[in-house]
Amino acid sequence: TLVYMLDIKFIRQNLDLIKAGAAKKRIKVDLDNLIAVDGKRRKLLIEVEGMRAKQNAVSDSVVSASAEQKKEIIERMKSLKEILQTKEKDLEKINTEWQKLMVQVPNIPDPSVPDGDSDADNKEVRRWPVLNGVEGGEKPQFSFTPKSHTELMQDLDIADFERGVKVAGFRGYFLKGDGALLNYAVWNFVMDFFIKKGGFTPMLVPSLVKRVAFLGTGYLPQSEDDLYKTQDGDFLAGTAEGATMAYHMSEIIPKEKLPLKYFSFSPC
């Protein structure tokens, strides 16, 4: 069972809203085709369920039927079974088409998110932490050109990129000494921040995730080329969010237990 970001009933009832959200996110998805396919899917589903119910009713009638009646019922059952099998194949085919369209439907962006074509259209909401003793104060000015974090780490010998590439390939790196300690310190600082806010459950999550989890959380199919895939069809996650979003996959959560807040870390 796949868990989609948006329910098909919600999509049908708010089609214009979904179209506007997809346009704002610059995501191309044929929503009109989705609605048409969903109509066919629902019609076929009703037919299949009706035929299955009829098949069960006919099977029950065999018990009390005479020998002559049983022969007639079996013939009717044979014909019904053949039609049902054809309908079930059609339903399976259209379900596959429906699922491919459903996983392309994006979640709706918050109304406060500005519209734009590039990073240049981003808007600064707030600054953190306090700068020069003032909340959202001006950034400090330097009389020299500040070094990048990679330069600083190499100069301080707390990161090794050359050996990282040698051992792990593209994007490989080693953090060592104070670099490793700094990594843990940042993680612990952020974890403490959210734990103190209350209501968050810390979790260590898997970095190897099944395809169905990525489908249900919106990473596939559009981002498949950017992900590392195993020979078994599982995927290596790039963040903890994929596994965390799939934690309650295919579950129904009682309203009174919401909201559920997780703070997750992945070895990836």
Side-chain angles (χ1 to χ4, degrees), residues 150-168:
T150 53
E151 288 179 288
L152 288 169
M153 295 178 84
Q154 285 178 303
D155 290 349
L156 295 169
D157 193 29
I158 61 175
D160 195 324
F161 300 108
E162 289 185 10
R163 290 186 177 90
V165 172
K166 179 180 69 174
V167 173

Side-chain angles (χ1 to χ4, degrees), residues 98-115:
W98 180 80
Q99 287 176 347
K100 286 179 179 178
L101 289 167
M102 278 293 288
V103 295
Q104 296 176 46
V105 180
N107 221 332
I108 306 169
D110 190 273
S112 65
V113 176
D115 197 3

Side-chain angles (χ1 to χ4, degrees), residues 19-203:
K19 285 182 177 180
K24 195 172 190 179
K25 286 189 167 187
R26 305 300 189 266
I27 293 175
K28 292 182 179 180
V29 53
D30 194 342
L31 289 163
D32 290 327
N33 187 35
L34 170 61
I35 297 300
V37 169
D38 182 59
K40 294 176 184 176
R41 181 187 70 91
R42 288 192 295 159
K43 183 181 177 183
L44 260 176
L45 186 59
I46 291 170
E47 289 179 7
V48 167
E49 288 178 345
M51 293 178 76
R52 284 172 180 166
K54 188 176 179 180
Q55 189 179 50
N56 291 334
V58 172
S59 296
D60 292 340
S61 67
V62 172
V63 179
S64 57
S66 64
E68 189 65 31
Q69 288 173 328
K70 283 181 181 179
K71 186 178 180 181
E72 182 186 344
I73 290 171
I74 290 170
E75 284 300 316
R76 282 165 49 202
M77 286 276 286
K78 184 179 178 183
S79 175
L80 181 63
K81 186 178 179 181
E82 289 174 355
I83 297 171
L84 179 57
Q85 286 177 338
T86 301
K87 292 284 184 182
E88 284 175 335
K89 286 180 181 178
D90 291 341
L91 181 60
E92 185 179 350
K93 185 178 178 181
I94 203 162
N95 264 333
T96 301
E97 185 181 355
W98 180 80
Q99 287 176 347
K100 286 179 179 178
L101 289 167
M102 278 293 288
V103 295
Q104 296 176 46
V105 180
N107 221 332
I108 306 169
D110 190 273
S112 65
V113 176
D115 197 3
D117 293 314
S118 70
D119 292 348
D121 299 312
N122 286 345
K123 292 181 180 179
E124 184 180 277
V125 177
R126 66 186 178 95
R127 293 185 182 184
W128 187 90
V130 174
L131 294 170
N132 295 337
V134 181
E135 179 77 35
E138 292 298 317
K139 292 181 180 179
Q141 301 297 315
F142 299 102
S143 59
F144 56 89
T145 303
K147 292 182 178 180
S148 70
H149 68 284
T150 53
E151 288 179 288
L152 288 169
M153 295 178 84
Q154 285 178 303
D155 290 349
L156 295 169
D157 193 29
I158 61 175
D160 195 324
F161 300 108
E162 289 185 10
R163 290 186 177 90
V165 172
K166 179 180 69 174
V167 173
F170 177 63
R171 286 206 253 182
Y173 62 88
F174 285 93
L175 293 180
K176 59 181 185 176
D178 286 341
L181 295 175
L182 178 61
N183 183 73
Y184 286 120
V186 171
W187 159 246
N188 284 321
F189 169 74
V190 177
M191 182 174 67
D192 287 344
F193 177 83
F194 282 101
I195 296 300
K196 287 174 183 176
K197 286 179 77 74
F200 285 88
T201 300
M203 292 203 302

Side-chain angles (χ1 to χ4, degrees), residues 203-208 239-241 243-244 247 264-268:
M203 292 203 302
L204 295 175
V205 303
S207 52
L208 188 65
T239 70
E241 96 181 290
T244 307
Y247 183 63
S264 299
F265 179 82
S266 170
C268 71

